[in-house]
Amino acid sequence: MACPVQFLCRGLRTVGLVLLYYVFSIGITFYNKWLMKGFHYPLFMTLVHLTIIFCLSALTRQAVQWWTGKPRVTLRWKEYLRKVAPTAIATALDIGLSNWSFLFITISLYTMTKSSAVLFILFFSLVFKLEEPNPFLILVVLLISCGLFMFTFESTQFNLEGFILVLLASFIGGIRWTLTQVLTQKAELGLQNPIDAMYHLQPLMFLGLFPLFLFNEGLSLSTSEKLFRVTELSPLLYSLFTLSIGGLLAFGLGFSEFLLVSRTSSLTLSISGIFKEVCTLLLAAFLMGDKMSMLNWLGFAVCLCGISLHVGLKTYYTKNKGPSLRQLKSKSPELELPLLQRNGNESKDSATDECDEEEEITLH
C-alpha cells in the first residue's frame, strides 16, 4: 500500500534535485557570460572561483568530521602530486579556457561546442580502456560531429577564436573526466566523495592555471582600475562581490551534481544534462538575443540524438554486463555526507521492500 506514496516521494525528490542542478548549472553559464561583458579577466575570475571552492570544501570537510567524529582522508604528498596533479591540471585548463571563450562567443555556440566533449570523453575512455569498442560508437561520433558542423555552418554569430578556445576546452575536458573517473574509482585513495576530491584538486588547479594567468592577464590586471588601481573602495568591493557569487555557484554546481547522482543515478544526471542544454539554448535565444537559423537548430537536434544514443548504449550494456570491475568495491556510509545518509532502519526496510529497486551509481 505504501508503494504509490514512496514512488511519488521519490519522483518529487528527483525533480527537486534536477531543478537544483539546473539552477546552478545554467545559472553559472549565464552569470559568467554576463560578468565577462564588464570584467575581461576570465582566468583571474577562475582563480578566485577555485579559491572559494577550496575554502568551502575545507569547511564542509570540517563540518562532516565534527558530525561523524571520523577523520577525513588526506593524501600524502607523493600520492598527491603523482596521482592528483594530472587531473587537477586538466580540470583547471578545461574550466579556464571555457571561461575565456565567453569573451568571444555566444552562450548558444558555447553550449553546442561544449557538447562535443562527449566525443573526446569517449575517445579517451577507449584509450584508457574504461569503455569497450562498439560499432554503434561510430554512429554516435558521426551524429555529434555532423550536428556540430551544421550548428556552426554559416552562423551569423560565429567567432573563430572563441570556437577554438571552447573546442580545445572540450578536448581537455575529455582528458579531465577520464582522469577524474580513474581517480575517484581508486578506492585506496579514498576520494570517492566529491567534497574530498574538490578539496584536494583546487590547490593544484590554482597552481596549474596561475602561469597562464600571469602570461595573459597579469600585466593588464595589475594596471586595471577594477582591482589594483582603484581610486574608490566601492568598485573594488563590487568586483570582489560579483566574483564571489560565481565561486558560490561553482561550488553549488559540484555539490548539486553529487546530490543528484548519489540520490538517483548517473543516468538521471546524463539525461538531465541533455534537457539542460535545450533549456540553455532556449534561454540564450530569449534572454541574450542569440540568433540561430533553422539549420543551426537542426544541427543541435542531430547532436542531441548522438548524445542520447550514447547514454542509451551505456545504460544498456551496463545493465547486461552487471557491475564493472572498475566500479567501487564498497559503498560505505563513510563516503557519503551526513545529509545524504539514510536512517539505518529505513535502509533495512527498503532492502526488503519489493517496490524498491537497487540503483547502480556509476561515475562519469
Side-chain angles (χ1 to χ4, degrees):
M1 297 297 294
C3 288
V5 176
Q6 291 180 357
F7 181 79
L8 178 61
C9 292
R10 181 179 297 179
L12 292 175
R13 181 188 65 188
T14 301
V15 171
L17 291 175
V18 169
L19 292 177
L20 181 66
Y21 164 64
Y22 279 9
V23 167
F24 285 111
S25 183
I26 298 176
I28 194 172
T29 299
F30 281 86
Y31 186 82
N32 286 344
K33 177 62 178 177
W34 169 80
L35 187 60
M36 287 298 99
K37 291 182 177 179
F39 189 85
H40 299 160
Y41 304 99
L43 298 181
F44 178 76
M45 178 190 73
T46 306
L47 292 178
V48 174
H49 290 180
L50 297 178
T51 304
I52 293 175
I53 293 173
F54 174 76
C55 294
L56 292 177
S57 58
L59 291 174
T60 305
R61 277 166 52 94
Q62 289 297 321
V64 172
Q65 184 171 329
W66 173 80
W67 182 276
T68 61
K70 298 178 181 179
R72 307 304 302 172
V73 61
T74 302
L75 297 182
R76 293 176 296 180
W77 279 105
K78 183 178 180 180
E79 290 182 328
Y80 183 55
L81 295 176
R82 186 163 58 92
K83 298 182 179 181
V84 179
T87 306
I89 294 175
T91 304
L93 291 176
D94 178 18
I95 298 174
L97 293 175
S98 296
N99 289 335
W100 194 353
S101 69
F102 279 129
L103 290 176
F104 310 101
I105 62 175
T106 61
I107 289 180
S108 57
L109 181 57
Y110 167 83
T111 301
M112 183 63 191
T113 310
K114 200 65 173 165
S115 300
S116 65
V118 175
L119 297 178
F120 301 114
I121 294 174
L122 192 57
F123 171 75
F124 287 108
S125 295
L126 292 173
V127 171
F128 285 89
K129 298 182 179 180
L130 299 175
E131 294 265 3
E132 293 186 3
N134 187 291
F136 286 103
L137 297 181
I138 300 177
L139 181 58
V140 172
V141 171
L142 289 176
L143 286 173
I144 297 177
S145 302
C146 292
L148 181 60
F149 174 77
M150 293 168 64
F151 189 87
T152 56
F153 184 72
E154 294 185 352
S155 176
T156 58
Q157 296 176 303
F158 180 80
N159 181 282
L160 181 60
E161 186 176 359
F163 177 73
I164 292 176
L165 281 173
V166 73
L167 193 63
L168 182 59
S170 298
F171 175 80
I172 298 175
I175 304 175
R176 165 197 177 182
W177 289 114
T178 305
L179 292 177
T180 300
Q181 180 177 351
V182 174
L183 181 69
T184 55
Q185 288 185 357
K186 287 183 177 179
E188 66 272 14
L189 293 180
L191 296 181
Q192 291 86 353
N193 189 316
I195 298 299
D196 293 325
M198 285 192 291
Y199 172 82
H200 285 85
L201 285 171
Q202 305 312 306
L204 289 177
M205 289 173 61
F206 188 97
L207 294 176
L209 193 61
F210 193 74
L212 184 60
F213 155 73
L214 285 180
F215 175 78
N216 189 67
E217 300 177 359
L219 181 61
S220 59
L221 184 64
S222 63
T223 58
S224 170
E225 296 183 356
K226 289 185 176 295
L227 286 176
F228 295 104
R229 292 186 60 188
V230 293
T231 56
E232 297 181 3
L233 184 61
S234 56
L236 175 62
L237 294 178
Y238 177 77
S239 297
L240 295 177
F241 175 73
T242 53
L243 290 172
S244 299
I245 292 178
L248 293 175
L249 289 173
F251 179 80
L253 174 59
F255 192 73
S256 62
E257 289 176 338
F258 175 45
L259 282 174
L260 185 58
V261 171
S262 60
R263 298 301 278 179
T264 58
S265 68
S266 60
L267 176 61
T268 304
L269 178 63
S270 300
I271 296 176
S272 301
I274 296 174
F275 287 99
K276 182 207 72 176
E277 299 195 355
V278 176
C279 295
T280 302
L281 282 186
L282 292 175
L283 288 174
F286 180 73
L287 297 178
M288 310 296 290
D290 291 3
K291 299 178 181 179
M292 296 174 58
S293 65
M294 185 60 66
L295 180 63
N296 298 149
W297 281 110
L298 183 60
F300 177 66
V302 171
C303 185
L304 285 186
C305 289
I307 298 174
S308 303
L309 178 60
H310 175 61
V311 172
L313 289 173
K314 193 173 184 67
T315 305
Y316 175 77
Y317 285 107
T318 298
K319 287 184 176 181
N320 283 353
K321 288 187 176 183
S324 170
L325 293 176
R326 293 182 181 270
Q327 289 174 345
L328 303 179
K329 297 180 180 179
S330 63
K331 296 180 182 178
S332 171
E334 297 177 5
L335 301 179
E336 298 184 357
L337 296 177
L339 59 90
L340 300 179
Q341 293 178 354
R342 298 174 180 171
N343 183 276
N345 294 332
E346 180 184 344
S347 300
K348 292 179 182 178
D349 293 340
S350 62
T352 58
D353 193 340
E354 295 179 357
C355 297
D356 287 345
E357 59 181 9
E358 182 179 354
E359 294 180 294
E360 176 187 321
I361 298 178
T362 57
L363 298 175
H364 287 278

Short mmCIF file of all heavy atoms in Angstrom, two decimals, residues 117-165:
data_model
loop_
_atom_site.label_atom_id
_atom_site.label_comp_id
_atom_site.label_asym_id
_atom_site.label_seq_id
_atom_site.Cartn_x
_atom_site.Cartn_y
_atom_site.Cartn_z
N ALA A 117 32.32 17.52 -26.13
CA ALA A 117 33.18 16.87 -25.12
C ALA A 117 32.88 15.38 -25.01
O ALA A 117 33.76 14.59 -24.64
CB ALA A 117 33.00 17.55 -23.77
N VAL A 118 31.64 14.99 -25.34
CA VAL A 118 31.28 13.57 -25.32
C VAL A 118 32.20 12.77 -26.24
O VAL A 118 32.61 11.65 -25.91
CB VAL A 118 29.81 13.38 -25.72
CG1 VAL A 118 29.46 11.89 -25.81
CG2 VAL A 118 28.89 14.06 -24.72
N LEU A 119 32.53 13.35 -27.39
CA LEU A 119 33.42 12.66 -28.34
C LEU A 119 34.80 12.41 -27.72
O LEU A 119 35.36 11.32 -27.82
CB LEU A 119 33.57 13.49 -29.61
CG LEU A 119 32.32 13.72 -30.45
CD1 LEU A 119 32.66 14.61 -31.64
CD2 LEU A 119 31.74 12.41 -30.92
N PHE A 120 35.34 13.44 -27.07
CA PHE A 120 36.67 13.32 -26.50
C PHE A 120 36.67 12.41 -25.27
O PHE A 120 37.62 11.67 -25.03
CB PHE A 120 37.21 14.70 -26.16
CG PHE A 120 37.30 15.61 -27.34
CD1 PHE A 120 36.51 16.74 -27.43
CD2 PHE A 120 38.16 15.33 -28.39
CE1 PHE A 120 36.59 17.58 -28.53
CE2 PHE A 120 38.25 16.15 -29.50
CZ PHE A 120 37.45 17.29 -29.57
N ILE A 121 35.59 12.48 -24.47
CA ILE A 121 35.48 11.58 -23.33
C ILE A 121 35.43 10.14 -23.82
O ILE A 121 36.08 9.24 -23.26
CB ILE A 121 34.22 11.91 -22.50
CG1 ILE A 121 34.36 13.29 -21.84
CG2 ILE A 121 33.97 10.84 -21.44
CD1 ILE A 121 33.11 13.75 -21.14
N LEU A 122 34.68 9.92 -24.90
CA LEU A 122 34.57 8.58 -25.48
C LEU A 122 35.93 8.11 -25.99
O LEU A 122 36.33 6.96 -25.77
CB LEU A 122 33.56 8.61 -26.62
CG LEU A 122 33.08 7.28 -27.20
CD1 LEU A 122 32.49 6.40 -26.11
CD2 LEU A 122 32.07 7.52 -28.30
N PHE A 123 36.64 9.00 -26.65
CA PHE A 123 37.95 8.64 -27.20
C PHE A 123 38.93 8.25 -26.10
O PHE A 123 39.59 7.20 -26.16
CB PHE A 123 38.51 9.81 -28.01
CG PHE A 123 39.93 9.64 -28.45
CD1 PHE A 123 40.25 8.78 -29.48
CD2 PHE A 123 40.95 10.34 -27.82
CE1 PHE A 123 41.58 8.61 -29.88
CE2 PHE A 123 42.26 10.18 -28.21
CZ PHE A 123 42.58 9.31 -29.24
N PHE A 124 39.03 9.08 -25.08
CA PHE A 124 39.99 8.80 -24.01
C PHE A 124 39.53 7.64 -23.13
O PHE A 124 40.36 6.95 -22.52
CB PHE A 124 40.23 10.05 -23.17
CG PHE A 124 41.04 11.10 -23.87
CD1 PHE A 124 40.46 12.27 -24.32
CD2 PHE A 124 42.40 10.90 -24.10
CE1 PHE A 124 41.21 13.23 -24.98
CE2 PHE A 124 43.15 11.86 -24.76
CZ PHE A 124 42.56 13.02 -25.20
N SER A 125 38.23 7.39 -23.05
CA SER A 125 37.74 6.21 -22.34
C SER A 125 38.18 4.94 -23.06
O SER A 125 38.52 3.93 -22.42
CB SER A 125 36.22 6.24 -22.23
OG SER A 125 35.79 7.32 -21.43
N LEU A 126 38.21 4.98 -24.38
CA LEU A 126 38.71 3.83 -25.14
C LEU A 126 40.21 3.68 -24.98
O LEU A 126 40.73 2.57 -24.87
CB LEU A 126 38.35 4.00 -26.62
CG LEU A 126 36.87 3.92 -26.99
CD1 LEU A 126 36.65 4.28 -28.45
CD2 LEU A 126 36.32 2.52 -26.71
N VAL A 127 40.92 4.81 -24.94
CA VAL A 127 42.37 4.77 -24.77
C VAL A 127 42.73 4.18 -23.42
O VAL A 127 43.64 3.34 -23.30
CB VAL A 127 42.97 6.19 -24.93
CG1 VAL A 127 44.45 6.19 -24.53
CG2 VAL A 127 42.80 6.67 -26.35
N PHE A 128 42.02 4.61 -22.36
CA PHE A 128 42.29 4.12 -21.01
C PHE A 128 41.54 2.82 -20.70
O PHE A 128 41.57 2.35 -19.57
CB PHE A 128 41.90 5.18 -19.98
CG PHE A 128 42.86 6.33 -19.89
CD1 PHE A 128 42.71 7.46 -20.69
CD2 PHE A 128 43.93 6.29 -19.01
CE1 PHE A 128 43.59 8.52 -20.62
CE2 PHE A 128 44.82 7.35 -18.92
CZ PHE A 128 44.65 8.47 -19.73
N LYS A 129 40.85 2.28 -21.72
CA LYS A 129 40.13 1.01 -21.60
C LYS A 129 39.05 1.04 -20.53
O LYS A 129 38.80 0.06 -19.83
CB LYS A 129 41.11 -0.16 -21.32
CG LYS A 129 42.11 -0.37 -22.45
CD LYS A 129 43.03 -1.56 -22.16
CE LYS A 129 43.99 -1.77 -23.33
NZ LYS A 129 44.91 -2.91 -23.09
N LEU A 130 38.43 2.21 -20.38
CA LEU A 130 37.26 2.33 -19.50
C LEU A 130 35.99 1.99 -20.26
O LEU A 130 34.96 1.71 -19.66
CB LEU A 130 37.16 3.75 -18.94
CG LEU A 130 38.36 4.22 -18.09
CD1 LEU A 130 38.18 5.68 -17.70
CD2 LEU A 130 38.53 3.36 -16.86
N GLU A 131 36.06 2.06 -21.57
CA GLU A 131 34.95 1.66 -22.45
C GLU A 131 35.46 0.59 -23.40
O GLU A 131 36.63 0.56 -23.75
CB GLU A 131 34.45 2.86 -23.27
CG GLU A 131 33.81 3.95 -22.45
CD GLU A 131 32.30 3.81 -22.39
OE1 GLU A 131 31.79 2.83 -22.95
OE2 GLU A 131 31.66 4.68 -21.79
N GLU A 132 34.55 -0.31 -23.80
CA GLU A 132 34.90 -1.32 -24.78
C GLU A 132 34.45 -0.88 -26.16
O GLU A 132 33.39 -0.27 -26.30
CB GLU A 132 34.27 -2.67 -24.41
CG GLU A 132 34.83 -3.27 -23.13
CD GLU A 132 34.28 -4.66 -22.87
OE1 GLU A 132 33.51 -5.15 -23.73
OE2 GLU A 132 34.61 -5.25 -21.84
N PRO A 133 35.25 -1.17 -27.21
CA PRO A 133 34.86 -0.78 -28.57
C PRO A 133 33.51 -1.36 -28.97
O PRO A 133 33.18 -2.49 -28.64
CB PRO A 133 35.98 -1.36 -29.44
CG PRO A 133 37.14 -1.53 -28.50
CD PRO A 133 36.54 -1.86 -27.16
N ASN A 134 32.73 -0.54 -29.67
CA ASN A 134 31.39 -0.94 -30.07
C ASN A 134 31.07 -0.29 -31.41
O ASN A 134 31.34 0.90 -31.59
CB ASN A 134 30.37 -0.50 -29.01
CG ASN A 134 28.98 -1.03 -29.28
OD1 ASN A 134 28.33 -0.62 -30.22
ND2 ASN A 134 28.51 -1.92 -28.43
N PRO A 135 30.52 -1.03 -32.37
CA PRO A 135 30.24 -0.44 -33.69
C PRO A 135 29.26 0.73 -33.64
O PRO A 135 29.29 1.62 -34.48
CB PRO A 135 29.66 -1.61 -34.49
CG PRO A 135 29.24 -2.63 -33.47
CD PRO A 135 30.18 -2.47 -32.33
N PHE A 136 28.37 0.73 -32.62
CA PHE A 136 27.41 1.83 -32.52
C PHE A 136 28.10 3.15 -32.15
O PHE A 136 27.54 4.23 -32.37
CB PHE A 136 26.34 1.50 -31.47
CG PHE A 136 25.34 0.48 -31.92
CD1 PHE A 136 25.42 -0.83 -31.46
CD2 PHE A 136 24.33 0.82 -32.81
CE1 PHE A 136 24.51 -1.78 -31.88
CE2 PHE A 136 23.41 -0.12 -33.23
CZ PHE A 136 23.50 -1.44 -32.77
N LEU A 137 29.30 3.06 -31.58
CA LEU A 137 30.02 4.28 -31.21
C LEU A 137 30.38 5.10 -32.44
O LEU A 137 30.50 6.33 -32.37
CB LEU A 137 31.28 3.92 -30.42
CG LEU A 137 31.06 3.22 -29.08
CD1 LEU A 137 32.39 2.95 -28.39
CD2 LEU A 137 30.16 4.05 -28.17
N ILE A 138 30.55 4.43 -33.59
CA ILE A 138 30.82 5.16 -34.83
C ILE A 138 29.64 6.06 -35.18
O ILE A 138 29.81 7.21 -35.59
CB ILE A 138 31.12 4.17 -35.97
CG1 ILE A 138 32.34 3.32 -35.63
CG2 ILE A 138 31.33 4.91 -37.29
CD1 ILE A 138 32.64 2.26 -36.68
N LEU A 139 28.44 5.53 -34.99
CA LEU A 139 27.23 6.32 -35.26
C LEU A 139 27.13 7.50 -34.30
O LEU A 139 26.73 8.60 -34.69
CB LEU A 139 25.99 5.43 -35.15
CG LEU A 139 24.63 6.08 -35.42
CD1 LEU A 139 24.61 6.67 -36.84
CD2 LEU A 139 23.51 5.07 -35.24
N VAL A 140 27.49 7.27 -33.03
CA VAL A 140 27.49 8.36 -32.05
C VAL A 140 28.43 9.48 -32.48
O VAL A 140 28.07 10.66 -32.47
CB VAL A 140 27.90 7.82 -30.66
CG1 VAL A 140 28.08 8.97 -29.68
CG2 VAL A 140 26.85 6.85 -30.13
N VAL A 141 29.63 9.11 -32.90
CA VAL A 141 30.62 10.09 -33.33
C VAL A 141 30.12 10.86 -34.56
O VAL A 141 30.24 12.09 -34.63
CB VAL A 141 31.96 9.39 -33.63
CG1 VAL A 141 32.94 10.37 -34.28
CG2 VAL A 141 32.56 8.82 -32.36
N LEU A 142 29.53 10.16 -35.52
CA LEU A 142 29.04 10.81 -36.73
C LEU A 142 27.91 11.78 -36.44
O LEU A 142 27.87 12.90 -36.98
CB LEU A 142 28.58 9.75 -37.75
CG LEU A 142 29.69 8.92 -38.41
CD1 LEU A 142 29.08 7.85 -39.31
CD2 LEU A 142 30.63 9.81 -39.21
N LEU A 143 26.98 11.36 -35.58
CA LEU A 143 25.85 12.24 -35.26
C LEU A 143 26.30 13.51 -34.57
O LEU A 143 25.89 14.62 -34.93
CB LEU A 143 24.85 11.49 -34.38
CG LEU A 143 23.98 10.42 -35.07
CD1 LEU A 143 23.18 9.64 -34.03
CD2 LEU A 143 23.05 11.07 -36.08
N ILE A 144 27.17 13.39 -33.58
CA ILE A 144 27.62 14.57 -32.84
C ILE A 144 28.48 15.46 -33.74
O ILE A 144 28.34 16.69 -33.72
CB ILE A 144 28.41 14.14 -31.58
CG1 ILE A 144 27.48 13.37 -30.62
CG2 ILE A 144 28.99 15.36 -30.87
CD1 ILE A 144 28.18 12.85 -29.39
N SER A 145 29.36 14.88 -34.54
CA SER A 145 30.22 15.66 -35.43
C SER A 145 29.39 16.40 -36.49
O SER A 145 29.61 17.60 -36.73
CB SER A 145 31.24 14.76 -36.10
OG SER A 145 32.03 14.09 -35.15
N CYS A 146 28.45 15.70 -37.11
CA CYS A 146 27.60 16.33 -38.11
C CYS A 146 26.73 17.42 -37.50
O CYS A 146 26.53 18.49 -38.10
CB CYS A 146 26.71 15.29 -38.80
SG CYS A 146 27.61 14.13 -39.84
N GLY A 147 26.22 17.16 -36.30
CA GLY A 147 25.41 18.17 -35.62
C GLY A 147 26.21 19.43 -35.32
O GLY A 147 25.71 20.55 -35.50
N LEU A 148 27.46 19.25 -34.88
CA LEU A 148 28.31 20.40 -34.59
C LEU A 148 28.62 21.19 -35.85
O LEU A 148 28.61 22.43 -35.85
CB LEU A 148 29.61 19.93 -33.93
CG LEU A 148 30.61 21.02 -33.52
CD1 LEU A 148 29.98 21.97 -32.51
CD2 LEU A 148 31.87 20.41 -32.95
N PHE A 149 28.86 20.48 -36.95
CA PHE A 149 29.15 21.15 -38.23
C PHE A 149 27.92 21.94 -38.70
O PHE A 149 28.04 23.10 -39.14
CB PHE A 149 29.54 20.13 -39.29
CG PHE A 149 29.72 20.70 -40.65
CD1 PHE A 149 30.88 21.41 -40.97
CD2 PHE A 149 28.74 20.55 -41.62
CE1 PHE A 149 31.04 21.96 -42.24
CE2 PHE A 149 28.90 21.09 -42.90
CZ PHE A 149 30.06 21.80 -43.19
N MET A 150 26.74 21.34 -38.60
CA MET A 150 25.52 22.02 -39.04
C MET A 150 25.22 23.23 -38.17
O MET A 150 24.71 24.25 -38.65
CB MET A 150 24.34 21.04 -39.00
CG MET A 150 24.44 19.91 -40.01
SD MET A 150 23.23 18.60 -39.71
CE MET A 150 21.69 19.49 -39.98
N PHE A 151 25.56 23.15 -36.88
CA PHE A 151 25.27 24.26 -35.98
C PHE A 151 26.17 25.45 -36.27
O PHE A 151 25.73 26.61 -36.17
CB PHE A 151 25.45 23.81 -34.53
CG PHE A 151 24.98 24.82 -33.53
CD1 PHE A 151 23.66 24.86 -33.12
CD2 PHE A 151 25.86 25.76 -33.00
CE1 PHE A 151 23.22 25.80 -32.21
CE2 PHE A 151 25.43 26.71 -32.10
CZ PHE A 151 24.10 26.72 -31.69
N THR A 152 27.42 25.19 -36.61
CA THR A 152 28.37 26.28 -36.85
C THR A 152 28.38 26.75 -38.29
O THR A 152 28.96 27.79 -38.61
CB THR A 152 29.79 25.84 -36.46
OG1 THR A 152 30.14 24.65 -37.20
CG2 THR A 152 29.87 25.54 -34.98
N PHE A 153 27.73 26.01 -39.20
CA PHE A 153 27.76 26.35 -40.63
C PHE A 153 26.97 27.63 -40.89
O PHE A 153 25.79 27.73 -40.57
CB PHE A 153 27.18 25.20 -41.46
CG PHE A 153 27.27 25.42 -42.94
CD1 PHE A 153 28.48 25.34 -43.59
CD2 PHE A 153 26.13 25.73 -43.68
CE1 PHE A 153 28.57 25.55 -44.96
CE2 PHE A 153 26.21 25.93 -45.05
CZ PHE A 153 27.45 25.85 -45.69
N GLU A 154 27.66 28.63 -41.47
CA GLU A 154 27.05 29.92 -41.81
C GLU A 154 26.35 30.57 -40.60
O GLU A 154 25.32 31.23 -40.74
CB GLU A 154 26.05 29.76 -42.96
CG GLU A 154 26.70 29.36 -44.28
CD GLU A 154 25.72 29.32 -45.42
OE1 GLU A 154 24.51 29.46 -45.16
OE2 GLU A 154 26.15 29.16 -46.57
N SER A 155 26.92 30.37 -39.43
CA SER A 155 26.37 31.02 -38.25
C SER A 155 26.71 32.50 -38.27
O SER A 155 27.86 32.89 -38.50
CB SER A 155 26.93 30.36 -36.97
OG SER A 155 26.48 31.04 -35.82
N THR A 156 25.73 33.34 -38.03
CA THR A 156 25.94 34.79 -38.10
C THR A 156 26.74 35.31 -36.90
O THR A 156 27.31 36.40 -36.97
CB THR A 156 24.60 35.52 -38.16
OG1 THR A 156 23.81 35.17 -37.02
CG2 THR A 156 23.84 35.14 -39.42
N GLN A 157 26.77 34.56 -35.81
CA GLN A 157 27.48 35.00 -34.61
C GLN A 157 28.67 34.10 -34.32
O GLN A 157 29.07 33.95 -33.17
CB GLN A 157 26.51 35.01 -33.42
CG GLN A 157 25.38 36.01 -33.57
CD GLN A 157 24.39 35.94 -32.42
OE1 GLN A 157 23.82 34.90 -32.13
NE2 GLN A 157 24.18 37.05 -31.76
N PHE A 158 29.26 33.55 -35.37
CA PHE A 158 30.39 32.65 -35.19
C PHE A 158 31.67 33.45 -34.99
O PHE A 158 31.93 34.44 -35.68
CB PHE A 158 30.54 31.75 -36.42
CG PHE A 158 31.68 30.77 -36.33
CD1 PHE A 158 31.55 29.60 -35.59
CD2 PHE A 158 32.89 31.03 -36.97
CE1 PHE A 158 32.60 28.70 -35.50
CE2 PHE A 158 33.94 30.13 -36.89
CZ PHE A 158 33.79 28.97 -36.15
N ASN A 159 32.50 33.03 -34.03
CA ASN A 159 33.79 33.64 -33.77
C ASN A 159 34.83 32.54 -33.69
O ASN A 159 34.74 31.65 -32.84
CB ASN A 159 33.74 34.44 -32.46
CG ASN A 159 35.07 35.13 -32.16
OD1 ASN A 159 36.01 34.51 -31.71
ND2 ASN A 159 35.12 36.44 -32.41
N LEU A 160 35.81 32.60 -34.59
CA LEU A 160 36.78 31.51 -34.71
C LEU A 160 37.63 31.38 -33.46
O LEU A 160 37.88 30.26 -32.98
CB LEU A 160 37.67 31.73 -35.93
CG LEU A 160 38.73 30.65 -36.19
CD1 LEU A 160 38.06 29.30 -36.41
CD2 LEU A 160 39.60 31.03 -37.38
N GLU A 161 38.09 32.49 -32.89
CA GLU A 161 38.96 32.44 -31.72
C GLU A 161 38.24 31.81 -30.53
O GLU A 161 38.78 30.93 -29.85
CB GLU A 161 39.44 33.85 -31.36
CG GLU A 161 40.47 33.88 -30.23
CD GLU A 161 40.99 35.28 -29.97
OE1 GLU A 161 40.57 36.22 -30.68
OE2 GLU A 161 41.83 35.43 -29.05
N GLY A 162 37.00 32.24 -30.28
CA GLY A 162 36.24 31.66 -29.18
C GLY A 162 35.90 30.21 -29.43
O GLY A 162 35.92 29.39 -28.51
N PHE A 163 35.60 29.88 -30.69
CA PHE A 163 35.28 28.49 -31.04
C PHE A 163 36.47 27.57 -30.80
O PHE A 163 36.33 26.47 -30.25
CB PHE A 163 34.85 28.41 -32.51
CG PHE A 163 34.56 27.02 -32.99
CD1 PHE A 163 33.40 26.36 -32.60
CD2 PHE A 163 35.44 26.37 -33.84
CE1 PHE A 163 33.13 25.07 -33.04
CE2 PHE A 163 35.18 25.08 -34.29
CZ PHE A 163 34.02 24.43 -33.89
N ILE A 164 37.67 28.02 -31.16
CA ILE A 164 38.88 27.22 -30.94
C ILE A 164 39.13 27.05 -29.44
O ILE A 164 39.51 25.96 -28.98
CB ILE A 164 40.09 27.87 -31.63
CG1 ILE A 164 39.93 27.80 -33.15
CG2 ILE A 164 41.39 27.20 -31.21
CD1 ILE A 164 41.03 28.52 -33.92
N LEU A 165 38.91 28.11 -28.68
CA LEU A 165 39.13 28.02 -27.23
C LEU A 165 38.21 26.98 -26.58
O LEU A 165 38.65 26.14 -25.79
CB LEU A 165 38.90 29.39 -26.58
CG LEU A 165 40.02 30.41 -26.68
CD1 LEU A 165 39.57 31.76 -26.14
CD2 LEU A 165 41.27 29.93 -25.94
#
